[in-house]
Amino acid sequence: MDFKQVRYFLELANTRSFTRAAEKCHVSQPALTQGIKKLETELGGSLVYREGRLVEMTELGRSLRSSFEQIDRTRQLVNMTARAITSGEASELNIGAMCTIGPKALSGMLNQFHRNNPGISIVIHDVTPPAAEELLLTGNLDAIFCFPQTVVHPRVQYLQLFEEPMVVACPSDHELLKNDSISISDLTNQKYIERLHCELRQRGQIFNKEQELALDIIFRSEREDWIQCLIREGAGVSVIPLHSLIKPDLDYRPLADPPLSRRVGLVTINNVIGPPALNKFVDAADSFDWNSLEQTKTSIIADEIF
């Protein structure tokens, strides 16, 4: 049994004419007749018989018609799904986002992509820096929003998307908010909450040592939400990416002396021919108006300093 034989039978059942059924199936009448005979041989009984000029179904044919209709619907669904996936119109993408990238920075692009590609569903995964490379290279993730230094394997390619300033996050009534900007040296007199996944952390420690600056670190955490909740409760301040801030719970001031920022991009496996849905996603990320984030221009880019 094959799909063609099922279709021959259904058209014959609908038209009750070998001639018209052959026309609808775009085959010759002998080919259709032969297909019906093969189907009957496989099933062990007649499906149709002639009643004058018309073709009537046997009891076996009537009993199996609904099952054949279900098979044909499945065939059509398989074909539609295959066309949608190969064209990139329907698929599922597993996209990673570095744990320190706030959702506000990416939600606009993701929403726009969904509106333009409603058949492509996206699963967003939280990713830590040590796990990023393996998740991408093993195919568990299709792409990751991250930073240039996160994955440096020769098999991957990095697409820069936007630059994000680092700011000093404070409780809404904090004394530092009276200033238009805050320098690193201003933080030495404050209780500091350290983000353990901060991209600038290692170099920041060196910078502080060279400048003979000592931060009064009272909490350390890998969790961005914990960091910000502690700040909100008045426990201390922290240097945080601008678009990671939870508003209006926290306030902030630009970081100065030196002003710092980080570059955020999208990393993928460097395939000559990538999955159509992923290619659409990369193109959407590349063409998105990231200036709509209204990021502050900074004079020094962190990954150039560090």
Side-chain angles (χ1 to χ4, degrees):
M1 185 189 304
D2 61 35
F3 284 134
K4 288 189 298 183
Q5 294 168 354
V6 170
R7 187 182 174 209
Y8 293 168
F9 169 75
L10 291 175
E11 289 296 348
L12 187 58
N14 289 332
T15 62
R16 298 191 179 189
S17 165
F18 278 91
T19 301
R20 291 200 299 274
E23 290 174 352
K24 285 183 172 292
C25 293
H26 304 290
V27 296
S28 66
Q29 184 173 329
L32 184 135
T33 301
Q34 188 65 26
I36 294 295
K37 288 182 178 180
K38 288 182 179 179
L39 186 57
E40 290 176 328
T41 298
E42 183 169 349
L43 295 173
S46 298
L47 295 171
V48 297
Y49 66 92
R50 292 182 182 273
E51 182 71 33
R53 293 184 177 182
L54 294 179
V55 175
E56 298 292 342
M57 288 187 292
T58 65
E59 182 180 357
L60 178 62
R62 290 192 299 271
S63 299
L64 294 180
R65 183 174 182 175
S66 61
S67 297
F68 283 145
E69 289 172 341
Q70 183 175 352
I71 291 173
D72 193 58
R73 286 194 296 270
T74 301
R75 174 191 65 83
Q76 295 178 45
L77 179 61
V78 167
N79 288 336
M80 290 173 56
T81 302
R83 287 194 298 269
I85 291 177
T86 54
S87 67
E89 294 177 1
S91 188
E92 179 179 276
L93 292 176
N94 287 278
I95 304 298
M98 197 57 59
C99 58
T100 65
I101 300 177
K104 184 167 59 176
L106 305 177
S107 56
M109 177 265 156
L110 293 171
N111 187 38
Q112 178 175 293
F113 178 78
H114 171 70
R115 290 198 303 268
N116 295 333
N117 303 274
I120 302 176
S121 63
I122 295 178
V123 182
I124 302 174
H125 301 264
D126 196 42
V127 178
T128 59
E133 182 173 302
E134 181 179 357
L135 289 170
L136 191 65
L137 294 177
T138 56
N140 287 291
L141 294 180
D142 297 298
I144 303 176
F145 289 103
C146 60
F147 321 110
Q149 66 273 26
T150 306
V151 181
V152 293
H153 195 277
R155 287 185 57 204
V156 307
Q157 59 185 3
Y158 176 82
L159 172 67
Q160 182 175 321
L161 302 177
F162 61 91
E163 180 185 336
E164 181 176 21
M166 307 296 290
V167 299
V168 179
C170 311
S172 57
D173 58 350
H174 200 278
E175 61 179 356
L176 286 177
L177 296 175
K178 65 184 179 183
N179 303 318
D180 293 331
S181 63
I182 300 171
S183 68
I184 290 290
S185 60
D186 293 331
L187 301 181
T188 58
N189 298 321
Q190 303 296 327
K191 295 188 182 300
Y192 192 79
I193 304 173
E194 187 173 28
R195 300 167 54 244
L196 292 179
H197 282 313
C198 178
E199 315 70 34
L200 316 180
R201 180 172 176 261
Q202 183 177 4
R203 177 57 194 178
Q205 291 173 338
I206 298 173
F207 176 83
N208 290 342
K209 183 176 180 181
E210 290 173 349
Q211 300 297 320
E212 297 183 350
L213 301 176
L215 295 175
D216 181 13
I217 300 175
I218 59 170
F219 289 107
R220 291 181 173 91
S221 178
E222 297 178 342
R223 292 272 299 268
E224 299 288 309
D225 52 350
W226 276 80
I227 293 288
Q228 297 196 37
C229 284
L230 287 167
I231 296 172
R232 184 182 60 192
E233 293 300 319
V237 301
S238 186
V239 174
I240 289 180
L242 174 59
H243 302 301
S244 295
L245 285 174
I246 301 173
K247 298 291 287 180
D249 294 333
L250 297 179
D251 210 334
Y252 71 93
R253 288 294 181 269
L255 181 65
D257 190 25
L260 301 177
S261 66
R262 66 178 183 180
R263 285 178 173 154
V264 178
L266 185 68
V267 64
T268 56
I269 295 293
N270 189 12
N271 291 325
V272 177
I273 301 177
L278 179 58
N279 292 337
K280 287 187 175 186
F281 188 82
V282 173
D283 290 341
D286 189 25
S287 61
F288 183 73
D289 180 17
W290 295 102
N291 289 326
S292 62
L293 293 177
E294 298 180 357
Q295 67 265 36
T296 305
K297 297 297 182 181
T298 55
S299 59
I300 303 177
I301 298 173
D303 59 355
E304 291 179 351
I305 301 176
F306 305 151

